[in-house]
């Protein structure tokens, strides 16, 4: 499709299980972001990928969270040993980069994670 | 440190009234400025952006914003609010400097519209 695609749209899991969230960015976009949005909260930056550079992981809340981006395209966010406080909507966005600067972000509709 | 402040967490306006949502930023480099809207259950959609040139920018859905460098502000305005404008609005600053992939979001302002 033409937009950012995220899957699953909804995920319910039990505390302690691992989950994987997938993001398919817009073709040709070199930069990819993951954000977390908890109920009533703003956007919490998690991780940022730009081309072949090392990702900026400064927003990951704990070592239970990790992400990878294969072939400069699809990205997977993994949460190990999920906790109830991980319940949130996880948003992915992609963009082009020009002259080192960020452009407009295109967001997916998010993956809603519920940890029971 | 780079930051974006949206001072109002929640605003309620009557349908047909004018609207102004505030955004202040602190950014060391030349800023690129964005407003996004998130309707309930939806992803974020770009309303408008400022990169350079005319400091008054027009966006979709009748919104506009004005970049005021002296005040480090980029306030969003609409002359007459419609019930469908009820949503959450996020201001963001990007550019060549800063962290988080050179893009920083405010915490959002939730807009409610009274009939």
């Amino acid at each position: 499709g033409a937009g950012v695609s995220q899957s699953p749209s909804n995920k319910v899991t039990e505390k302690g299980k691992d989950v994987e969230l997938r993001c398919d960015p817009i073709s040709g976009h070199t930069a990819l972001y993951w954000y977390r949005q908890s109920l009533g909260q703003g956007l919490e930056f998690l991780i940022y990928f730009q081309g072949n550079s090392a990702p900026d992981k400064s927003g990951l809340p704990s070592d239970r969270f990790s992400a990878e981006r294969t072939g400069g395209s699809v990205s997977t966010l993994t949460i190990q040993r999920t906790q109830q406080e991980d319940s949130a909507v996880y948003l992915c966005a992609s963009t082009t980069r020009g002259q080192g600067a960020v452009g407009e972000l295109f967001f997916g509709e998010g993956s809603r994670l519920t940890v029971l | 440190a780079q930051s974006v402040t949206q001072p109002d967490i929640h605003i309620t306006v009557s349908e047909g009234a004018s609207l102004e949502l505030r955004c202040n930023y602190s950014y060391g480099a030349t800023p690129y400025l964005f407003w996004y809207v998130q309707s309930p259950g939806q992803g974020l959609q770009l309303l408008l952006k400022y990169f350079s040139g005319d400091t008054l920018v027009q966006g979709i859905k009748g919104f506009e914003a004005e970049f005021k460098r002296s005040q480090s502000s980029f306030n969003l305005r609409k002359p007459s609010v419609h019930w469908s404008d009820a949503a959450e609005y996020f201001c963001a600053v990007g550019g060549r400097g800063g962290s988080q992939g050179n893009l920083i979001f405010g915490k959002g302002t939730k807009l409610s519209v009274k009939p």
Side-chain angles (χ1 to χ4, degrees):
Chain A
V4 177
S5 178
Q6 291 188 246
S7 61
S9 55
N10 277 286
K11 176 72 175 180
V12 180
T13 190
E14 293 179 346
K15 177 181 173 182
K17 300 282 190 182
D18 297 351
V19 297
E20 287 189 349
L21 307 176
R22 176 189 167 103
C23 174
D24 230 314
I26 292 173
S27 177
H29 280 190
T30 57
L32 186 147
Y33 297 73
W34 282 99
Y35 293 91
R36 179 168 70 176
Q37 188 174 30
S38 304
L39 186 62
Q41 301 299 309
L43 291 169
E44 178 186 3
F45 168 78
L46 296 177
I47 190 168
Y48 159 70
F49 297 89
Q50 169 56 38
N52 295 322
S53 301
D56 176 356
K57 304 179 182 179
S58 60
L60 295 178
S62 78
D63 58 8
R64 296 187 296 105
F65 287 73
S66 63
E68 63 177 19
R69 188 177 184 193
T70 54
S73 180
V74 172
S75 177
T76 302
L77 177 69
T78 301
I79 309 173
Q80 295 178 311
R81 305 181 303 281
T82 52
Q83 304 294 313
Q84 288 181 332
E85 61 263 29
D86 299 335
S87 297
V89 176
Y90 290 82
L91 294 168
C92 176
S94 70
T95 186
T96 56
R97 287 285 295 264
Q99 298 179 336
V102 69
E104 170 189 350
L105 258 61
F106 294 83
F107 283 84
E109 294 196 352
S111 292
R112 180 177 297 277
L113 174 66
T114 303
V115 182
L116 301 177
Chain B
Q2 289 88 2
S3 65
V4 177
T5 302
Q6 293 181 246
D8 304 304
I9 296 172
H10 190 183
I11 284 182
T12 300
V13 300
S14 297
E15 190 168 16
S18 63
L19 171 70
E20 182 169 28
L21 301 182
R22 296 182 290 165
C23 173
N24 293 95
Y25 68 90
S26 172
Y27 202 79
T30 301
Y32 295 175
L33 297 157
F34 308 85
W35 275 99
Y36 286 85
V37 60
Q38 185 180 34
S39 298
Q42 303 291 313
L44 277 76
Q45 179 185 21
L46 182 71
L47 277 178
L48 48 78
K49 61 189 177 187
Y50 170 79
F51 281 3
S52 65
D54 193 345
T55 56
L56 183 64
V57 294
Q58 303 297 321
I60 62 172
K61 306 184 181 184
F63 285 91
E64 66 177 27
E66 186 171 12
F67 169 51
K68 294 185 176 180
R69 185 185 298 274
S70 62
Q71 299 178 18
S72 297
S73 69
F74 188 58
N75 294 350
L76 181 71
R77 301 193 295 249
K78 187 170 185 178
S80 178
V81 169
H82 188 263
W83 64 267
S84 61
D85 294 324
E88 190 153 19
Y89 293 79
F90 293 91
C91 180
V93 177
R96 293 175 176 78
S99 60
Q100 300 185 8
N102 296 342
L103 183 67
I104 299 172
F105 280 86
K107 293 190 179 299
T109 298
K110 184 176 181 179
L111 173 66
S112 298
V113 180
K114 293 189 300 186

